[in-house]
Amino acid sequence: MPTAKARYAGNGALIKIPDFSDDLKKRLRNFYPDKEAKTDPAWGPPADVFVSHILAEAWWAKSELHWQSFDLTKPEIRAEHADLLKVLKVAQSKVRSLSPDFDRLLGFDADPRGCADEISRLISRVEHAGDMLDSQPDARRAAEKHHEVAIGMAVRILCVLMTYKIKPSGTASSYLPMADITAIRGGKKGDEATRYVSDAVLILKAVGDDLGLVLAESTWRDIIIEAKKTVPELQ
């Protein structure tokens, strides 16, 4: 098993979260139910408004997944703790033993000894934090966190779809037409099964794929079923 490395992942706030892709927006426009709707001068094409409503709700999931990418496992926290402690102790020792010639170059107000004292206090805190590591819970598995995001996103998007009269149907299955079933029962080869996947499943999958939350259609079907149990209004 590879050794965990110190990640120093606190710069996540400085990373801009990318927008949804143009390809996703194009795909979602095809699900707008009223193909004959006229463009509103103020709001623009109604299909674009429909897409913006979906993606506004999906942004929550995009943000959650972004921040989850900076979550650390306990071994990673230990690695960061050990690395930081090592660096601080080296820095403290060097700041306390600056050469007089170099110290004079810093200026009278640099106060390297005072800085060393502050580093010493930080070292004490870091050491105390290390003592608390064993009592911290283990990090949740990525699959578990992703599932929660998928449920939350499904609830939000399904509520939007209902306002556009799109049923929050959790269907993603294959079936055989009755004629083919009869043929099979009679010992003859039937046609290939016909697949039916609801618009709700297809929309969630399209958004999920764009987020990097790549799940099978059947998984999104199950997530819709779970979401409907959580929020009775979706029934």
Side-chain angles (χ1 to χ4, degrees), residues 75-203:
E76 286 174 330
I77 297 175
R78 290 189 188 282
E80 188 166 321
H81 168 265
D83 184 69
L84 179 60
L85 196 57
K86 178 181 176 181
V87 169
L88 289 175
K89 287 182 176 180
V90 170
Q92 180 197 44
S93 175
K94 290 185 176 182
V95 171
R96 285 198 186 283
S97 57
L98 291 177
S99 302
D101 287 338
F102 185 77
D103 194 354
R104 283 191 291 271
L105 291 175
L106 296 178
F108 72 91
D109 59 345
D111 190 21
R113 301 297 186 277
C115 292
D117 290 340
E118 290 298 325
I119 294 173
S120 180
R121 280 189 280 272
L122 181 56
I123 287 173
S124 178
R125 297 221 174 213
V126 172
E127 289 175 334
H128 178 64
D131 294 337
M132 297 190 297
L133 273 175
D134 286 337
S135 63
Q136 299 302 303
D138 292 330
R140 293 186 303 155
R141 294 183 300 112
E144 180 184 352
K145 293 187 291 185
H146 289 177
H147 181 74
E148 289 185 2
V149 171
I151 292 291
M153 185 180 81
V155 169
R156 289 167 169 79
I157 290 181
L158 292 175
C159 288
V160 171
L161 297 185
M162 289 182 68
T163 66
Y164 286 92
K165 310 301 182 184
I166 297 176
K167 295 181 179 180
S169 173
T171 307
S173 60
S174 300
Y175 68 92
L176 288 172
M178 185 56 67
D180 295 329
I181 294 174
T182 302
I184 290 174
R185 287 175 179 171
K188 299 178 182 178
K189 182 179 179 181
D191 293 333
E192 292 184 359
T194 301
R195 298 185 68 250
Y196 172 74
V197 182
S198 68
D199 283 354
V201 168
L202 292 173
I203 288 170

Side-chain angles (χ1 to χ4, degrees), residues 38-40 43-50:
K38 296 181 179 179
T39 297
D40 187 294
W43 297 99
D48 287 351
V49 176
F50 167 73

